[in-house]
């Protein structure tokens, strides 16, 4: 038996969707082609069609659609010219308009995202514009009935002569009708034409008085249209010119027709590509109007629809459905009251599958999935056949027999009210047997029914699932929601009770239901109650989730504000640091200026005094710079007093910073102590230090033998830093030698020499001295945190 795809597609109303597609077309040929679109049952072909539509959809989203309006099928016209016929002015104009559309569509692609290749570029690439012929036709043709004067030099000359001749004739006739001696013989003072010749209307009774050629007579016979002898010759010349003009127009049309004939092969290819592009962009345009998506495709018979909408129902009224088929179950039994949406549900499934197989986008959510079936078979609606004298049941059965013969393991079968129209017991048994047969064949089946036996079949069978269309008994209205996994009920008793049927009649009716059916209905009612409770709980969970999300957003906002404040504080600190640096630099420059002024007034008489003043200025300047550069904000704690005098080696807490440090050196005069806190070394105010008391040890220190004139290592100052900033080279080297001798005696392994950056003279002198000193093992410049190039770190042997 042959599969009639068109019949089953029309049952699912694909033809109506194709009519919508046709309305999106702006070319007559595309509109006709859209109505003839058929679904492909080949997976790779469907994938190709979907990719083409998606490519056009993306291009439209970025650049808007190209223009196809105005293009006509010029292939038959060009074929006619190729066979030697002369094309009309309108036909040539249609060719030029279509050539222009081909050119603009090709240009549109070059100018819009040409760097990103798409699967529809093959159609753009074979478009062959012919700007020369396009311009030639548009230059020659004025409108659909007339050529331009400049179509040729000869045509322009002929038309000038014709205008002059006509003007000459009118001037001569004007003299006759405007006061000439023969004007009294005229019926009206007008000039007109008969058979292309200029004439005047003469009264019939003066025919003999008015010499000329009679060309026509009025209906009453009272007026003769006579060409005066004075203009006969000029009229003859005008007729000759008109004939020559017609011949020249015909020659031009033949020439343009021959030019058109020469592009026949490229025209066939170009127009075919243009129509294909027009159809593809029409599909994309319909996708935008339907808010469609490109579904994922598979060849395993798996359909997953998420919030799918029937495309022929008003988008403001349609209730989306979600269902799957072929994943966890192969057969779906939909039950519920009449007008509840069962038929719409299976039509939506079938129609969207057909649309996808036609390369159309489907009105559903992203991540929807469509299977490419080899056949889509449907038995939907009342198809009672009067011609064959078949009842509704018989008509359905004829369809079912045909469907069973055509079904394969990759078919989608849609059955509406399967087994209806006959005895309920026999109908239910037949319906169950048909569903079992379809399941055994491996088909994916969706059926609607009222039979309780089919609900039980779905509950008891593997890979068969129940579904129902929800009905609100309280409102006596369907909600059109499709519920998967829940068998439906006709709700006949509940509806009847709401409509006023007495309770006694309803109770009496219940006694006529078998115990088995009654219990089954009670189970369904119980399931429905549980479902509603579960939905209520789900609603609460979603509400709590929404509240949690809002709190999360609130926390994220607070965190963002804190980060913004932190960034702002960092920026303020950076500005403040720069200001401190600028102040320190200014102080240093002032110090240098003072030294420079002192240098200018230097002499042997005042050398000692100037040196003393310079040293004092340097020390004061350095102290000021240290104060300016200290970014630590002092904390006030006047209550604390040191329990004893600090000594080198004490562990202390730097109160401002809250850090533990160890004392390396003490300057009693300045009230400062040089401390080490991890990788940080700094001079700190003794008032800002808090002593960490150590437990007393019982061990007595051995007595040290005192050598006259030489201090012991415990008595000697074990400072690890020498500051020679402000000294000249000679003074600095003397201080350095003295410090090295002291360090060697004290057992200090390494020390820092603070010479400052300045001009670098003092640094070079220090390093050159260290390089040749017998007690120095190695030396290096300080790194970040140690003073960098303003400090040299030396290691003793």
């Amino acid at each position: 038996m042959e599969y009639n795809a068109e019949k089953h597609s029309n049952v699912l109303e694909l033809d109506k969707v194709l009519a919508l597609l046709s309305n999106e077309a702006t070319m007559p040929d595309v509109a006709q082609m859209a109505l003839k679109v058929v679904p492909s049952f080949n997976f790779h072909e469907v994938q190709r069609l979907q990719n083409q539509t998606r490519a056009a959809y993306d291009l439209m989203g970025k650049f808007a659609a190209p223009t196809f309006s105005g293009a006509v099928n010029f292939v038959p016209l060009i074929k006619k010219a190729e066979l030697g016929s002369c094309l009309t002015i309108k036909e040539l104009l249609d060719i030029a308009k279509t050539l222009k559309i081909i050119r603009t569509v090709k240009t549109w692609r070059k100018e819009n995202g040409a760097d990103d290749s798409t699967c529809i570029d093959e159609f753009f690439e074979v478009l062959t514009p012919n700007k020369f012929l396009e311009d030639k036709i548009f230059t020659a043709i004025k409108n659909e009935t007339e050529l331009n004067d400049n179509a040729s030099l000869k045509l322009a000359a002929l038309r000038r002569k014709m205008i002059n001749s006509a003007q000459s004739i009118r001037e001569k006739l004007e003299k006759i009708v405007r006061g000439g001696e023969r004007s009294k013989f005229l019926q009206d003072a007008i000039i007109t034409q008969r058979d292309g010749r200029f004439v005047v209307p003469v009264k019939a009774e003066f025919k003999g008085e008015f010499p000329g050629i009679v060309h026509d007579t009025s209906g009453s016979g009272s007026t003769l249209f006579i060409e005066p002898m004075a203009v006969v010759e000029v009229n003859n010349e005008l007729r000759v010119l008109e004939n020559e003009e017609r011949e020249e127009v015909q020659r031009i049309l033949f020439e343009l027709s021959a030019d058109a004939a020469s592009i026949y092969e490229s025209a066939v290819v170009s127009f075919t590509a243009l129509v294909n592009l027009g159809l593809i962009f029409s599909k994309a345009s319909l996708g935008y109007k339907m808010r469609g998506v490109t579904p994922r495709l598979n060849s395993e018979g798996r359909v997953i629809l998420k919030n799918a909408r029937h495309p022929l129902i008003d988008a403001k009224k349609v209730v989306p459905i979600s269902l799957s088929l072929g994943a966890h179950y192969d057969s779906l039994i939909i039950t519920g009251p009449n007008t509840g949406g069962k038929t719409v549900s299976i039509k939506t499934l079938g129609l969207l599958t057909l649309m996808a197989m036609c390369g159309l986008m489907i009105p559903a959510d992203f991540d929807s999935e469509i299977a490419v079936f080899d056949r889509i078979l449907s038995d939907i609606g009342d198809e009672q056949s009067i011609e064959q004298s078949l009842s509704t049941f018989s008509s359905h059965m004829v369809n079912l027999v045909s469907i069973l013969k055509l079904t394969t393991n990759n078919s989608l079968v849609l059955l509406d009210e399967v087994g209806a129209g006959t005895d309920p017991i026999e109908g239910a048994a037949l319906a169950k047997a048909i569903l079992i047969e379809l399941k055994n064949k491996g088909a994916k089946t969706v059926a609607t029914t009222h039979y309780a036996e089919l609900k039980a079949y779905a509950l008891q069978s593997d890979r068969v699932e129940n579904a129902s269309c929800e009905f609100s008994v309280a409102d006596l209205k369907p909600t059109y929601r499709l519920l998967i996994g829940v068998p439906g009920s006709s709700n006949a008793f509940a509806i009847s009770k709401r409509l006023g049927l007495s309770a006694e009649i309803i109770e009496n009716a219940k006694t006529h239901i078998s115990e088995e059916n009654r219990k089954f209905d009670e189970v369904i009612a119980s399931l429905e109650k549980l479902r509603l409770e579960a939905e209520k709980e789900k609603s609460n969970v979603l509400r709590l989730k929404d509240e949690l999300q809002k709190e999360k957003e609130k926390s994220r906002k607070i965190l963002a504000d804190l980060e913004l404040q932190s960034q702002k504080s960092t920026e303020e600190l950076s500005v403040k640091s720069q200001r401190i640096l600028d102040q320190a630099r200014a102080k240093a420059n002032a110090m240098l200026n003072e030294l420079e002024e002192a240098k200018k007034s230097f002499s042997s008489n005042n050398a000692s005094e100037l040196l003393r003043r310079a040293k004092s200025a340097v020390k004061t300047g350095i102290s000021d710079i240290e104060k300016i550069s200290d970014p630590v904000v002092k904390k006030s704690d006047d209550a604390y007093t040191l329990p004893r005098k600090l000594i080198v080696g004490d562990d202390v807490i730097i109160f401002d910073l809250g850090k533990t440090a160890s004392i390396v050196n003490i300057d009693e005069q300045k009230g400062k102590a040089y401390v080490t806190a991890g990788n940080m070394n700094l001079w700190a105010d003794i008032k800002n230090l808090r002593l960490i008391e150590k437990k007393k040890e019982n061990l007595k220190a051995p007595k040290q033998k005192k050598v006259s004139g030489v201090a012991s290592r415990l008595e000697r100052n074990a400072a690890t830093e020498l500051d020679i900033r402000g000294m000249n080279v000679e003074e600095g080297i003397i201080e350095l030698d003295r410090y090295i001798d002291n360090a060697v005696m004290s057992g200090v392994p390494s020390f820092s020499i603070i010479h400052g950056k300045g001009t670098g003279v003092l640094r070079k002198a220090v390093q050159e001295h260290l390089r040749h000193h017998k007690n120095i093992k190695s030396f290096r410049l300080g790194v970040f945190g140690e003073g960098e190039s303003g400090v040299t770190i030396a290691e003793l042997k």
Side-chain angles (χ1 to χ4, degrees):
M1 182 177 288
E2 187 176 352
Y3 169 55
N4 187 344
E6 184 179 1
K7 172 191 171 185
H8 291 279
S9 297
N10 288 343
V11 168
L12 294 168
E13 301 179 293
L14 177 64
D15 55 330
K16 294 181 181 178
V17 173
L18 295 181
L20 296 178
L21 175 63
S22 179
N23 292 337
E24 296 300 314
T26 55
M27 286 175 59
D29 291 76
V30 174
Q32 294 174 14
M33 190 177 181
L35 296 173
K36 298 176 182 177
V37 168
V38 294
S40 172
F41 297 93
N42 179 280
F43 176 79
H44 297 291
E45 175 66 11
V46 173
Q47 201 167 45
R48 185 180 71 85
L49 294 172
Q50 283 290 339
N51 290 340
Q52 289 176 352
T53 305
R54 184 69 207 191
Y57 183 89
D58 291 341
L59 287 172
M60 284 179 67
K62 294 177 182 177
F63 313 109
T67 301
F68 298 93
S69 179
V72 298
N73 188 356
F74 65 176
V75 174
L77 303 178
I78 296 175
K79 182 63 177 176
K80 176 182 172 183
E82 191 185 39
L83 295 174
S85 296
C86 181
L87 301 178
T88 65
I89 294 176
K90 184 180 182 308
E91 288 173 337
L92 286 166
L93 204 55
D94 285 342
I95 290 174
K97 288 177 180 177
T98 305
L99 284 173
K100 183 179 180 180
I101 296 299
I102 290 172
R103 178 172 57 82
T104 55
V105 170
K106 180 121 182 168
T107 303
W108 178 89
R109 183 67 184 109
K110 286 182 179 178
E111 294 176 351
N112 295 307
D115 295 336
D116 300 325
S117 61
T118 70
C119 61
I120 59 175
D121 285 346
E122 58 179 300
F123 298 110
F124 287 103
E125 289 167 2
V126 297
L127 292 174
T128 308
N130 193 317
K131 187 75 163 55
F132 172 78
L133 180 57
E134 176 193 332
D135 290 343
K136 189 173 182 180
I137 293 174
F138 279 132
T139 301
I141 295 176
K142 184 176 183 179
N143 52 48
E144 292 187 356
T145 59
E146 187 180 1
L147 292 185
N148 279 317
D149 293 348
N150 60 354
S152 73
L153 293 175
K154 184 177 180 180
L155 183 63
L158 286 170
R159 287 185 172 174
R160 280 195 300 272
K161 290 179 181 179
M162 289 169 63
I163 292 171
N164 293 334
S165 296
Q167 185 64 29
S168 175
I169 293 171
R170 282 186 173 278
E171 288 174 358
K172 291 181 179 181
L173 293 177
E174 283 288 342
K175 290 179 181 179
I176 295 174
V177 301
R178 302 295 179 193
E181 59 182 24
R182 293 190 178 91
S183 61
K184 59 186 176 182
F185 302 135
L186 299 178
Q187 191 74 262
D188 292 297
I190 61 171
I191 301 169
T192 184
Q193 281 187 324
R194 288 293 185 274
D195 298 328
R197 300 179 76 87
F198 287 96
V199 295
V200 291
V202 179
K203 296 176 182 178
E205 60 266 27
F206 297 114
K207 176 184 177 184
E209 303 295 330
F210 200 99
I213 301 171
V214 178
H215 286 280
D216 198 6
T217 305
S218 66
S220 63
S222 62
T223 303
L224 302 177
F225 294 96
I226 297 176
E227 178 184 4
M229 293 305 295
V231 297
V232 170
E233 187 62 31
V234 185
N235 258 330
N236 288 339
E237 289 177 5
L238 183 58
R239 295 303 292 270
V240 171
L241 289 172
E242 288 174 348
N243 288 333
E244 289 181 4
E245 182 208 22
R246 280 193 292 272
E247 290 174 0
E248 179 61 13
V249 167
Q250 198 67 13
R251 185 195 67 76
I252 294 171
L253 294 179
F254 263 115
E255 182 182 318
L256 293 174
S257 298
D259 290 338
S262 66
I263 67 166
Y264 176 73
E265 291 184 2
S266 65
V268 172
V269 175
S270 293
F271 189 74
T272 302
L274 191 69
V275 170
N276 282 324
L277 284 171
L279 181 62
I280 292 169
F281 276 93
S282 295
K283 290 179 178 180
S285 177
L286 184 62
Y288 270 107
K289 283 194 174 180
M290 289 185 174
R291 293 182 290 119
V293 299
T294 302
R296 295 199 309 271
L297 300 174
N298 69 78
S299 56
E300 290 82 40
R302 185 174 59 257
V303 178
I304 301 173
L305 294 180
K306 297 182 178 180
N307 290 322
R309 306 174 297 279
H310 196 288
L312 301 177
I313 301 177
D314 187 348
K316 296 179 182 178
K317 297 179 181 179
V318 66
V319 177
I321 64 167
S322 297
L323 63 84
S324 64
L325 188 66
H328 304 293
Y329 47 86
D330 300 321
S331 300
L332 186 65
I333 312 298
I334 304 177
T335 50
N338 290 329
T339 71
K342 302 190 301 297
T343 304
V344 171
S345 295
I346 62 174
K347 277 191 171 184
T348 301
L349 168 61
L351 182 55
L352 266 56
T353 302
L354 286 170
M355 287 173 62
M357 291 165 66
C358 289
L360 293 168
M361 304 175 83
I362 63 172
D365 284 358
F366 288 103
D367 292 333
S368 290
E369 191 168 353
I370 293 290
V372 179
F373 295 99
D374 60 5
R375 290 172 184 179
I376 297 180
L377 304 161
S378 57
D379 178 52
I380 299 174
D382 187 358
E383 298 183 13
Q384 185 173 1
S385 175
I386 298 174
E387 294 83 359
Q388 300 179 24
S389 300
L390 297 175
S391 66
T392 301
F393 174 75
S394 300
S395 178
H396 281 301
M397 195 50 59
V398 169
N399 287 338
L400 288 170
V401 170
S402 172
I403 287 171
L404 288 169
K405 289 180 180 179
L406 293 170
T407 299
T408 68
N409 64 350
N410 189 32
S411 296
L412 174 63
V413 181
L414 306 171
L415 306 176
D416 189 27
E417 298 296 348
V418 58
T422 187
D423 178 76
I425 297 174
E426 293 180 353
L430 278 172
K432 182 177 179 180
I434 290 168
L435 292 174
I436 291 172
E437 178 64 16
L438 291 171
K439 180 173 177 289
N440 291 338
K441 283 178 174 284
K444 305 301 179 288
T445 306
V446 181
T448 70
T449 184
H450 284 286
Y451 293 137
E453 290 84 354
L454 296 187
K455 303 175 193 177
Y457 162 67
L459 288 172
Q460 297 164 359
S461 303
D462 184 39
R463 295 194 68 79
V464 182
E465 185 60 273
N466 268 308
S468 62
C469 287
E470 189 180 52
F471 187 89
S472 174
V473 178
D475 301 327
L476 295 181
K477 291 180 181 179
T479 65
Y480 301 107
R481 291 178 59 204
L482 184 66
L483 308 174
I484 304 297
V486 180
S489 173
S490 64
N491 295 302
F493 292 152
I495 293 172
S496 299
K497 185 176 181 181
R498 284 297 306 271
L499 293 175
L501 191 64
S502 68
E504 292 79 7
I505 295 176
I506 293 173
E507 290 301 321
N508 187 17
K510 288 181 179 180
T511 62
H512 298 291
I513 299 176
S514 67
E515 183 68 16
E516 183 179 347
N517 286 340
R518 187 178 60 78
K519 287 183 178 180
F520 186 73
D521 286 341
E522 288 175 358
V523 170
I524 291 177
S526 176
L527 288 173
E528 178 67 8
K529 184 179 179 183
L530 290 173
R531 182 188 68 79
L532 291 173
E533 290 176 357
E535 285 202 352
K536 186 177 180 182
E537 286 298 320
K538 181 180 178 182
S539 177
N540 288 333
V541 168
L542 290 176
R543 180 180 55 78
L544 291 173
K545 183 180 178 182
D546 184 55
E547 291 176 0
L548 183 62
Q549 184 66 27
K550 288 179 180 177
E551 288 297 322
K552 186 177 178 182
E553 288 297 325
K554 187 177 178 182
S555 300
R556 188 181 288 114
K557 186 177 183 302
I558 292 172
L559 182 60
D561 290 343
L562 288 174
E563 288 179 353
L564 186 63
Q565 291 177 9
S566 175
Q567 182 181 356
K568 187 177 179 181
S569 298
T570 303
E571 290 173 355
E572 289 175 354
L573 182 60
S574 176
V575 172
K576 186 176 180 181
S577 300
Q578 185 62 43
R579 186 168 63 250
I580 291 172
L581 182 61
D582 291 342
Q583 290 176 354
R585 188 180 289 115
K587 194 71 178 175
N589 288 335
M591 233 169 64
L592 290 173
N593 290 335
E594 287 183 16
L595 291 174
E596 191 65 29
E597 290 298 322
K599 181 179 176 183
K600 289 177 183 178
S601 59
F602 181 82
S603 67
S604 57
N605 297 326
N606 62 4
S608 177
E609 177 60 21
L610 285 177
L611 181 61
R612 185 190 64 75
R613 285 166 55 191
K615 284 184 178 181
S616 175
V618 167
K619 287 181 180 179
T620 303
I622 291 172
S623 176
D624 290 344
I625 290 172
E626 285 178 349
K627 289 177 181 177
I628 292 170
S629 303
D630 186 4
V632 178
V633 179
K634 306 298 182 184
K635 293 182 182 178
S636 61
D637 188 11
D638 300 333
Y640 181 81
T641 305
L642 285 169
R644 61 173 173 79
K645 218 173 170 184
L646 296 176
I647 61 172
V648 173
D650 276 344
D651 290 334
V652 294
I653 294 175
I654 305 173
F655 180 65
D656 285 345
L657 303 179
K659 288 188 173 291
T660 302
S662 180
I663 294 179
V664 175
N665 194 7
I666 297 175
D667 189 333
E668 295 285 356
Q669 291 181 347
K670 293 182 179 179
K672 290 183 177 290
Y674 191 75
V675 297
T676 300
N679 294 327
M680 182 174 67
N681 299 321
L682 74 157
W683 283 97
D685 244 333
I686 291 176
K687 294 179 180 179
N688 194 36
L689 301 179
R690 304 292 180 264
L691 179 65
I692 300 174
E693 294 284 358
K694 296 181 181 178
K695 293 181 179 178
K696 295 181 179 180
E697 296 183 4
N698 294 325
L699 295 175
K700 291 183 179 179
K703 289 183 179 181
Q704 296 290 330
K705 186 177 179 180
K706 219 170 191 178
V707 180
S708 178
V710 180
S712 68
R713 286 191 178 185
L714 289 176
E715 293 173 321
R716 212 175 275 119
N717 187 359
T720 58
E721 182 179 276
L722 172 65
D723 189 347
I724 59 173
R725 287 178 295 180
M727 301 181 185
N728 59 27
V729 172
E730 184 179 350
E731 289 174 333
I733 297 301
I734 292 171
E735 286 295 321
L736 178 58
D737 278 337
R738 185 182 296 117
Y739 180 84
I740 292 174
D741 291 342
N742 191 30
V744 170
M745 296 295 291
S746 302
V748 175
S750 63
F751 60 93
S752 302
I753 307 160
I754 303 173
H755 43 64
K757 297 179 182 179
T759 60
V761 174
L762 187 57
R763 180 182 68 244
K764 290 178 183 178
V766 166
Q767 292 183 353
E768 184 64 26
H769 187 69
L770 293 174
R771 188 174 286 112
H772 301 99
H773 200 289
K774 62 180 181 179
N775 291 323
I776 299 301
K777 181 180 180 182
S778 64
F779 64 88
R780 63 175 174 81
L781 281 175
V783 296
F784 181 76
E786 295 177 327
E788 302 178 1
S789 60
V791 173
T792 296
I793 311 297
E795 185 181 358
L796 293 169
K797 292 181 180 178

